[in-house]
Amino acid sequence: MKLYRLLTGVDDAAFCHKVTLALNKGWELAGSPAYAFNAKTGEMQCAQPVTKTVEGKDYHPDMKLGEQ
């Protein structure tokens, strides 16, 4: 099965670590990152799509994607 996640967070080191962790768990970048200004918090927000192919399992909506 092929899985998709959209990692999101404030544009800071923690977001970079979140993406790095996903890459080290076998997820692959799936497109360019996106940035947007959150006027409510005054912070820049990031989003990075990632995908992962997992063999031998079937997708189910209740699965926790980050644990695959």
Side-chain angles (χ1 to χ4, degrees):
M1 83 178 138
K2 189 157 191 170
L3 302 174
Y4 169 87
R5 293 172 63 199
L6 182 63
L7 304 176
T8 60
V10 175
D11 183 16
D12 61 7
F15 179 76
C16 294
H17 287 286
K18 183 188 292 190
V19 174
T20 299
L21 178 62
L23 294 173
N24 281 281
K25 288 186 172 185
W27 293 83
E28 297 180 2
L29 300 178
S32 299
Y35 298 96
F37 180 71
N38 183 333
K40 188 173 184 177
T41 64
E43 298 173 312
M44 291 297 293
Q45 302 287 310
C46 298
Q48 174 64 61
V50 292
T51 59
K52 183 178 185 179
T53 300
V54 177
E55 302 295 335
K57 288 189 177 181
D58 292 324
Y59 172 75
H60 189 276
D62 292 335
M63 67 179 21
K64 297 199 179 282
L65 298 178
E67 295 177 5
Q68 303 305 310

